[in-house]
Amino acid sequence: MKHIRILFVCMGNICRSPLAEGIFTHLVAEARLTDRFTIDSAGTGGWHDGEPPDRRPTAIAGSHGIDITRQRAHRVRPIDLTRFKLIVAMDRDNVAELSRIAPPETNIRLFGDIAVGTGEDIADPYYGGPEGFEMAYTRLLTGCSSLLETLGVERASCSGNTSSVR
């Protein structure tokens, strides 16, 4: 299997994309495939550059055995658009913004298309309550598991902690 470079993107890089990065990284590690992937996340906006993920997705991830506390937000850089071979946006607004700034050959995909298969946007839970973050976790876990399969890898054997959704 060739090395795959994947970038998860949302608006500010403090909620959905760091959660997706954490979940996918965890699944890849469980499958013992860490050396085959480069995984990162970024935002289309730079308002939170250098900040850790929001406390709410950090707590949700932690409750499922995933640590995202070392991540730091950053805006998508021009080099990211050529360095990463697969750029996965959380919603259509982010796909549109990435398409506006990226070279035409950039592989930009909607998470709801490539990972979940429903074409849905992963809703931004930032202005909502805890249930929105749990829903985002659930959709991202489902999608990241499928994405690992789509990329030609046997589905990671999830620990009970990671695969459970309360």
Side-chain angles (χ1 to χ4, degrees):
M1 180 177 153
K2 65 180 182 175
H3 192 83
I4 298 171
R5 296 176 179 277
I6 183 169
L7 181 68
F8 294 100
V9 179
C10 69
M11 188 177 292
N13 193 215
I14 60 167
C15 290
R16 296 169 290 171
S17 59
L19 195 52
E21 176 189 349
I23 291 168
F24 196 74
T25 299
H26 189 83
L27 293 173
V28 165
E30 281 192 335
R32 295 185 178 95
L33 297 169
T34 304
D35 60 328
R36 296 182 182 176
F37 288 88
T38 298
I39 307 159
D40 199 0
S41 63
T44 55
W47 314 281
H48 301 287
D49 279 353
E51 294 178 17
D54 184 277
R55 62 179 170 72
R56 297 165 295 176
T58 300
I60 293 290
S63 74
H64 294 284
I66 299 170
D67 181 8
I68 63 172
T69 60
R70 290 183 291 270
Q71 294 181 29
R72 292 296 174 263
H74 66 274
R75 186 177 197 164
V76 174
R77 300 169 295 243
I79 188 79
D80 294 334
L81 300 170
T82 55
R83 181 173 165 242
F84 289 93
K85 299 308 175 200
L86 177 59
I87 299 176
V88 182
M90 297 295 120
D91 60 44
R92 285 172 180 75
D93 290 340
N94 287 297
V95 168
E97 178 60 18
L98 289 164
S99 296
R100 187 184 70 74
I101 63 173
E105 67 277 3
T106 307
N107 187 13
I108 301 166
R109 304 292 300 273
L110 178 67
F111 187 89
D113 284 340
I114 192 170
V116 185
T118 61
E120 70 186 89
D121 285 347
I122 301 301
D124 189 348
Y126 185 79
Y127 293 105
E131 63 283 347
F133 288 92
E134 193 64 54
M135 178 60 75
Y137 174 85
T138 300
R139 298 310 293 149
L140 292 170
L141 176 62
T142 299
C144 286
S145 296
S146 294
L147 184 57
L148 201 52
E149 289 175 2
T150 299
L151 296 174
V153 180
E154 283 186 35
R155 184 173 186 167
S157 171
C158 298
S159 69
N161 217 13
T162 303
S163 60
S164 68
V165 178
R166 296 184 180 125

